[in-house]
Amino acid sequence: MKIARKDKVKFGALVNKFRQKMPRDMNPLRKVAAECDMNFSTLNDIEKGDGFPTEAVVLRLSENLLLSEKDKHGLLDKYSDIAKVAPPDIDRYLIAEDGKAWWDVLRLAEGKDIPPDTFKEIKKIITALEDKKDEPTEQPEY
């Protein structure tokens, strides 16, 4: 995969920005690199734009930089845009047993002119499922 230098620099700056937002005692380059199971020079190269992470590395970064869900998705989406691959978290989900149920749905959707409102409705349905999961279940009275 050939990644343009300017894209490596943009991605590295984003990783650096997120690392610097971490609490001071948790953000040293060596400490974050160790948490992500990599050499500190590898993380340094990524942040300077001299290197670009693999999918496995960017997943570990997204899990160890103490990111909000929005920032985590932003980092993974930026990686996806640059590398021209599906976001690694989506990719990982789709190959897991639970994710395989989506394969036929995605194949059916391919090439169809699906209006944006349809995706909004699908998101509402999934959000409602999440909301129900968080609701306390009624306990039987004895």
Side-chain angles (χ1 to χ4, degrees):
M1 143 178 66
K2 180 76 172 149
I3 306 296
R5 169 92 174 127
K6 67 179 174 87
D7 289 330
K8 289 179 185 178
V9 169
K10 283 181 190 175
F11 189 81
L14 184 61
V15 170
N16 180 270
K17 175 183 132 187
F18 287 144
R19 182 174 62 82
Q20 296 300 329
K21 285 172 92 174
M22 294 173 70
R24 197 146 182 77
D25 63 325
M26 297 178 76
N27 80 2
L29 192 70
R30 287 181 188 273
K31 186 170 186 137
V32 173
E35 291 292 323
C36 293
D37 237 2
M38 71 174 96
N39 188 304
F40 83 94
S41 63
T42 303
L43 181 54
N44 188 46
D45 285 347
I46 291 168
E47 287 190 4
K48 290 189 316 185
D50 292 334
F52 193 72
T54 63
E55 287 188 21
V57 168
V58 80
L59 278 169
R60 288 195 305 267
L61 284 168
S62 74
E63 292 163 1
N64 287 289
L65 287 173
L66 305 179
L67 302 174
S68 67
E69 281 298 305
K70 181 181 175 190
D71 286 344
K72 181 178 182 176
H73 293 161
L75 180 70
L76 295 170
D77 290 350
K78 176 59 81 178
Y79 176 88
S80 173
D81 290 342
I82 292 170
K84 308 277 188 276
V85 296
D89 59 327
I90 302 296
D91 206 26
R92 181 174 61 179
Y93 172 72
L94 287 174
I95 62 173
E97 201 56 43
D98 292 346
K100 290 180 181 179
W102 284 99
W103 293 8
D104 288 335
V105 174
L106 292 171
R107 287 181 176 128
L108 284 170
E110 186 178 12
K112 306 287 189 307
D113 187 18
I114 300 172
D117 286 349
T118 302
F119 292 107
K120 289 179 185 173
E121 290 300 315
I122 293 169
K123 285 173 83 172
K124 282 182 191 175
I125 292 167
I126 293 171
T127 301
L129 292 172
E130 274 299 306
D131 292 345
K132 285 184 180 184
K133 183 179 84 172
D134 295 337
E135 289 177 5
T137 56
E138 289 188 31
Q139 298 294 324
E141 292 184 29
Y142 293 102

